[in-house]
Amino acid sequence: MSSWKQLSRLVDGLSLVAKEIYHQSPELQRARNGDLEALGKKALVAATDLVGLTSGKLRNLSNRRSKEPSVVFFDDKDDDGSSKADDVSVPITPEVVAKPTIVDSKIVSSESIEEARVVDRDGETKVGVRAEVASTPLEVVTVKRRRPRERKVPSTPMARAYGFFNLGAGLAWGAVKESTYRLVNGTPPTQGNKPALSSILSEENAERLALGLCEMRGAALKVGQMLSIQDESLVPAPILNALELVRQGADVMPRSQLNPVLDAELGPNWQSKLASFDYEPLAAASIGQVHRAVTKDGLEVAMKIQYPGVANSIESDIENVRRLLNYTNLIPKGLFLDRAVKVAKEELARECDYEIEAVSQKHFRDLLSDTPGFYVPRVIDELSSKKILTTELISGVPIDKVASLDQETRDYVGRKMLELTLKELFVFRFMQTDPNWGNFLYDEPTKTINLIDFGAARDYPKKFVDDYLRMVMACANKDSKGVIEMSRRLGFLTGDEPDVMLDAHVQAGFIVGLPFAEPGGYAFRTNNITSSVSNLGATMLKHRLTPPPDEAYSLHRKLSGAFLACIKLGATVRCRELLLQVYEKYQFDDEPQVMASSSVSS
């Protein structure tokens, strides 16, 4: 009965999306007036998708890449004033490729990485925004990954609503098949005697959801990427395995959509500013895709080009995803989905404005100009707009690739990552909150970490930072009263929580504070912080009375990313020393009665 109840809830949710489609669909309005041809075509496509004749074939995806040459070279203008363009094909051999890299909340597919390698005239390999580059030899392995398809981005409100309806209908059909299978064959066994997942959350449906989000792109894919980096205490393992697909990148926007964006944002003569442009993207992300180009003066640049329609569809996209998540029971109540949705809408609205990102990147470039070991590429204003951001192309390897280097280098990069994180929050109060490894490119010859992607950059209020630093010190010094007091001041606790919740909250704080608890080097790989916190997650989700403050969503994403990077590197870092360097110079605006730390001695 529970499976049919879940199916009923999903159908109710789909009906809400269907109503939105009806009000926005010109085909349905024409059908109401007697024109059934357009509606018939849409229905035929939906039916074939639903029964598996087209997109329902989840594991055998067609590769509809353009057969046109990839790189276009723009010569000097002809007598009539037009620019001549020469097309050059770039051979691609995807059978043996480098390991995938984290890029914009996802892993670039292995074949995309192969295509992203660029060799200049001197034979030096370089990288652009969100692209893997090798300044040192890469480990070569054979991997099997989903190759993103070339598909138009659903850009109108009707097209996006229809896409969600089609996805929801596919999930409903999958639930019917799974329920029928269970009625005939019984519920499949689970590991550790755990309760079986709902029929809606079958492996096939999870994969269908992931691939549907890759096709939709925009805010829908962004939410899927956020879910994909959670642990099993929040999202079931089969769902996480399928959502790994969304980290491999979105489907690729075809030239028929790409060129109008370039024309609209940079003008119809945008080619006159470039010597060449590569139509094969270095990376395809949730909000846009990145292309390599060369300016007339020979500067290699990375052009991030936004998908059409995604900025205007944030509200409806996230609401439709929320409905799907609610009706699949994927999100536990303790996660406070409504608050997370509100914060996600605000963050995505900022990320879709590349003019804001350009300002943030320039600000970071100024903040870090005198800090050794970091470099922020400059923004090329004449090739940038609200939907296109062009920066200089920079070199380096994503920091996860540093894990194959010597221990001294790994310790150095881990230390610099934590140094940057602490400076961003407690010195600058301005933080780039996207922790994906592909946003930090290490250049070994110069021992420099090149920083890219500032769409998620934001500032934090002084009062919040004051209390958060006190809470960090309380966690490091195992001060239970300080942790609880600062958590209440910050809004993590209401004061009415039961003892079991307070104990779990304090213990989680102590675990996160372990790297800062003792002097000397902290070996991240030998201490499993993430699993220890996850073990307390179920208790906190069950007894939590209030969502965390809005600032915590982006902040904790960045802090956890910094820890995970150090774990991946196997770095040993003198974390307490870094924290005390910040704490001892920090100027608090007020002095609360309960201090977070009774001692700052090392």
Side-chain angles (χ1 to χ4, degrees):
M1 289 296 294
S2 61
S3 296
W4 294 110
K5 184 177 180 180
Q6 295 286 349
L7 180 59
S8 174
R9 294 181 65 197
L10 179 60
V11 172
D12 290 341
L14 292 175
S15 68
L16 297 176
V17 182
K19 290 178 182 178
E20 181 179 351
I21 293 177
Y22 176 78
H23 291 300
Q24 298 186 24
S25 169
E27 285 85 358
L28 289 176
Q29 297 302 324
R30 289 198 296 269
R32 187 178 182 182
N33 296 327
D35 181 8
L36 299 178
E37 181 178 358
L39 181 62
K41 292 180 180 178
K42 288 282 186 181
L44 178 60
V45 173
T48 56
D49 282 352
L50 185 60
V51 300
L53 295 178
T54 53
S55 64
K57 286 283 187 179
L58 298 175
R59 298 184 182 275
N60 297 293
L61 301 176
S62 61
N63 175 31
R64 291 166 42 191
R65 292 293 186 94
S66 172
K67 294 183 179 180
E68 298 178 79
S70 170
V71 181
V72 177
F73 291 90
F74 305 111
D75 295 337
D76 294 334
K77 291 185 177 181
D78 288 332
D79 294 337
D80 60 2
S82 61
S83 296
K84 296 190 296 181
D86 296 327
D87 293 343
V88 178
S89 298
V90 177
I92 299 170
T93 55
E95 289 77 12
V96 179
V97 297
K99 284 186 176 179
T101 178
I102 299 286
V103 173
D104 194 25
S105 304
K106 54 118 177 53
I107 298 180
V108 174
S109 78
S110 57
E111 295 180 22
S112 293
I113 293 175
E114 180 69 19
E115 295 160 0
R117 295 181 186 175
V118 179
V119 181
D120 65 13
R121 294 178 179 86
D122 298 324
E124 180 184 1
T125 306
K126 292 197 173 183
V127 207
V129 176
R130 301 192 189 98
E132 174 172 338
V133 179
S135 61
T136 58
L138 292 177
E139 179 183 357
V140 177
V141 295
T142 302
V143 291
K144 184 178 181 180
R145 292 277 178 178
R146 183 187 78 89
R147 181 173 183 173
R149 303 158 291 184
E150 184 177 279
R151 288 193 171 188
K152 289 188 67 175
V153 181
S155 56
T156 66
M158 182 269 161
R160 298 195 69 79
Y162 175 78
F164 277 105
F165 178 79
N166 193 32
L167 174 58
L171 294 175
W173 174 248
V176 169
K177 291 196 298 181
E178 181 67 17
S179 296
T180 303
Y181 175 86
R182 294 184 182 185
L183 287 173
V184 175
N185 301 288
T187 302
T190 59
Q191 293 183 350
N193 296 321
K194 294 181 180 179
L197 294 175
S198 164
S199 57
I200 295 177
L201 301 179
S202 65
E203 181 180 350
E204 182 182 359
N205 257 1
E207 191 172 347
R208 179 179 283 110
L209 173 64
L211 294 179
L213 295 179
C214 287
E215 182 177 353
M216 293 296 296
R217 283 153 281 191
L221 179 59
K222 195 76 173 182
V223 172
Q225 291 170 348
M226 290 177 181
L227 289 175
S228 72
I229 61 175
Q230 303 301 320
D231 58 50
E232 293 184 23
S233 67
L234 295 179
V235 181
I239 308 300
L240 286 180
N241 293 337
L243 287 176
E244 180 66 23
L245 292 174
V246 307
R247 301 178 68 195
Q248 295 179 21
D251 291 337
V252 174
M253 173 170 53
R255 295 190 190 195
S256 59
Q257 281 190 313
L258 183 64
N259 282 329
V261 176
L262 288 164
D263 290 344
E265 294 299 311
L266 302 180
N269 65 336
W270 59 268
Q271 299 96 330
S272 65
K273 302 176 182 179
L274 298 174
S276 68
F277 181 85
D278 191 348
Y279 276 96
E280 190 69 30
L282 297 175
S286 57
I287 296 174
Q289 58 192 43
V290 182
H291 294 259
R292 176 184 178 271
V294 179
T295 63
K296 287 293 187 183
D297 58 3
L299 177 66
E300 292 179 299
V301 296
M303 300 180 67
K304 182 165 64 172
I305 302 168
Q306 190 173 124
Y307 301 128
V310 298
N312 298 326
S313 65
I314 293 173
E315 185 86 19
S316 59
D317 269 15
I318 292 183
E319 284 303 316
N320 285 327
V321 171
R322 183 179 63 82
R323 292 186 186 112
L324 289 175
L325 295 177
N326 274 334
Y327 286 98
T328 54
N329 274 346
L330 182 58
I331 301 299
K333 292 181 179 179
L335 199 62
F336 290 94
L337 183 61
D338 288 343
R339 176 66 72 88
V341 163
K342 168 185 171 292
V343 173
K345 288 178 181 178
E346 294 171 354
E347 289 184 356
L348 287 168
R350 290 198 302 268
E351 287 192 47
C352 285
D353 190 334
Y354 288 172
E355 290 177 341
I356 294 178
E357 181 174 352
V359 171
S360 297
Q361 184 158 339
K362 293 175 183 178
H363 186 40
F364 257 101
R365 183 175 168 87
D366 291 338
L367 289 173
L368 292 170
S369 60
D370 296 327
T371 304
F374 297 103
Y375 181 77
V376 178
R378 61 190 176 94
V379 175
I380 311 302
D381 289 320
E382 56 269 27
L383 289 171
S384 298
S385 69
K386 192 168 186 175
K387 295 182 180 178
I388 294 178
L389 177 61
T390 302
T391 67
E392 63 177 311
L393 206 65
I394 45 85
S395 62
V397 294
I399 55 172
D400 60 320
K401 291 292 185 291
V402 177
S404 63
L405 301 180
D406 60 89
Q407 185 65 48
E408 182 181 355
T409 300
R410 287 183 279 145
D411 292 346
Y412 170 78
V413 173
R415 177 184 174 86
K416 297 301 287 185
M417 289 295 296
L418 285 178
E419 175 191 334
L420 175 65
T421 302
L422 293 174
K423 269 195 169 184
E424 286 178 296
L425 180 59
F426 299 124
V427 179
F428 304 150
R429 298 203 311 277
F430 190 69
M431 176 176 277
Q432 189 278 89
T433 64
D434 187 347
N436 294 302
W437 294 328
N439 292 339
F440 306 88
L441 303 173
Y442 180 63
D443 186 60
E444 189 174 8
T446 62
K447 300 191 70 174
T448 298
I449 299 177
N450 294 311
L451 307 176
I452 60 176
D453 197 340
F454 296 89
R458 58 158 298 169
D459 56 7
Y460 292 92
K462 181 64 162 59
K463 185 179 185 304
F464 174 86
V465 176
D466 283 357
D467 289 339
Y468 200 88
L469 178 54
R470 292 188 179 105
M471 187 175 72
V472 171
M473 288 302 302
C475 292
N477 292 326
K478 294 184 170 55
D479 176 7
S480 300
K481 289 182 63 177
V483 172
I484 293 175
E485 176 65 19
M486 291 303 111
S487 295
R488 288 172 178 167
R489 285 169 61 97
L490 288 164
F492 290 98
L493 300 174
T494 65
D496 298 321
E497 285 80 6
D499 289 342
V500 64
M501 171 62 188
L502 292 178
D503 183 63
H505 180 80
V506 169
Q507 291 304 314
F510 288 174
I511 292 171
V512 174
L514 278 176
F516 306 102
E518 300 292 340
Y522 180 84
F524 278 89
R525 184 166 288 175
T526 58
N527 298 276
N528 200 335
I529 295 177
T530 54
S531 64
S532 299
V533 173
S534 296
N535 293 335
L536 298 168
T539 300
M540 291 190 287
L541 286 174
K542 182 178 180 180
H543 297 285
R544 180 180 289 167
L545 299 181
T546 184
D550 290 354
E551 294 88 351
Y553 288 88
S554 57
L555 173 57
H556 287 179
R557 182 170 66 235
K558 177 60 176 283
L559 294 178
S560 64
F563 275 19
L564 288 171
C566 289
I567 293 171
K568 174 71 175 178
L569 294 174
T572 298
V573 182
R574 299 175 66 89
C575 302
R576 187 171 179 84
E577 178 182 301
L578 291 175
L579 177 61
L580 292 181
Q581 287 174 2
V582 171
Y583 184 80
E584 291 168 352
K585 296 178 182 178
Y586 193 84
Q587 298 295 319
F588 293 95
D589 281 349
D590 63 335
E591 292 295 334
Q593 293 180 353
V594 179
M595 293 300 294
S597 171
S598 59
S599 171
V600 297
S601 63
S602 59

